[in-house]
Amino acid sequence: MECEQLAAFYEEYALGVLEGEERAEMEAHLARGCERCTAGATEARRVVSNLALAAPEAQLPSGLRGKIMEPVRLSAAARAGAPPVNTAAKREVFPAWAWIAAAALALITGYAIRQMGNQNSQLAALQKQMKLAIAQNVALQNQLDESRMVASVMLSPDSTALKLMPKDKNMPMVHAYLHPHMGVAITADQMPAMPSARTLQLWFMPKQGAPMSVAIFHPDANGVIALVAPVKMPVAEIAALAVTEEPAGGSPQPTSAPAWMAAMN
Amino acid sequence: MLLAVVQPWPEGKQPADGELMERVLRRDASALETLYDRYGRPVYSLVLRIAQQPASAEEIVQDVFLQLWKSADRFQASRGALAPWLFTMARNRALDFLRLKGEKQRRREDSQEDDFPEPAIARPDAEGAIDLSRRAEKVRALMSSLPDGQRKAIELAYFEGMSHSEIAASMGEPLGTVKSWIRGGLLRLRESLKEARS
């Protein structure tokens, strides 16, 4: 089909109702990078997303704001404390100041009293630093917990190790460790950075029925992937694992051919 | 340094979504809170409509906003507005939930009666999100004006993630009729939103 014919299907494609040949043609056409149709599909997605506003208005649960904002504030606080500090410079400055202050305290009591004000400020600053350090520690602890979960699944004798082979031979391999109860751990490194409008999505390809979305993820700044996602179907029913590249936010069903894939033995 | 980032905006002037997302990128928690105030209710309403379970809807919305915080760099204001991005992400997550829980099949069997619980009516926003409210009015007016069958077909597609043939099977209508209803409805939606913008 040409662009003119495909234009009639933009909204239906964005809605996710297209199937069969029409959907395949649209996907193949978009995958070829047609600028006109990509822009048309993006605009259609914007139009269709307005159907969200047709949902009956519901009252927000009272505790939801806190559940969202608490970890966000913690993460922001950890980030605020994160910039590297020139500790060497501090070490050079602090002893001089400390010795001067100590000498002044020893020599003049009045001066020492005045200095107490400064010390209180210092104490407050130290307390603030300590709070930030605690928040940072919590964030690091969360990362550590995730890493431990990944390691637990990887090392469990009940896990099945799978190598997801890349379609593009220049891409690194993705490793999966499938545990029937603990979840599926996904690891990879040296992954290239992804365009901001795209995401990676892991699917279970069942022996029967449609692919099941398992997780949406991106490589971190170092090109590393390490995550654990729940296994919400019997392992015996999984025929293969696949990773596809999808628009940001993920897709209800794969919209592109798997970029990585591994069949279950 | 943090104080320099967390600047309140002048009274009566709400920051644009793109500006808030830039602040989210700089790890400004108050910017995310403003986005939650702006979009929390429509996103929750959408997810509740799809998932139909308040506890699950709450979890999904929490996940969506935390994802927005973690992956703010994935959003590029130059590529489009935030609302479609947010609604698409929320819809996909909620539809994933439906599939994972096997709720979809159960609800299709029970769909002879519309058993969706009537949600509590929310109070309107005190301020802000005017454009969103106007669009919501347009969309709701349009959906109410559609014949029952056409509206139902679009709802099954958007809120239940069904394809053309699944909708046809569910409604017991010819595939061609369903396609025509959906195409016509979406065309009217596009025109209606175009009028709202002009």
Side-chain angles (χ1 to χ4, degrees), chain A residues 29-82:
Chain A
H29 190 80
L30 291 173
R32 287 197 291 273
C34 170
E35 282 186 20
R36 178 182 163 182
C37 289
T38 301
T42 303
E43 171 61 11
R45 200 171 289 134
R46 187 192 65 75
V47 169
V48 166
S49 75
N50 283 285
L51 286 171
L53 301 170
E57 279 189 284
Q59 183 73 55
L60 276 169
S62 56
L64 182 54
R65 175 191 297 270
K67 285 180 188 170
I68 293 169
M69 292 313 299
E70 197 174 322
V72 164
R73 288 201 186 95
L74 210 58
S75 152
R79 169 67 181 256

Side-chain angles (χ1 to χ4, degrees), chain B residues 38-55:
Chain B
R38 191 170 292 175
Y39 292 112
R41 202 178 68 215
V43 168
Y44 177 74
S45 302
L46 164 66
V47 172
L48 182 62
R49 170 65 180 82
I50 294 173
Q52 302 209 3
Q53 295 176 4

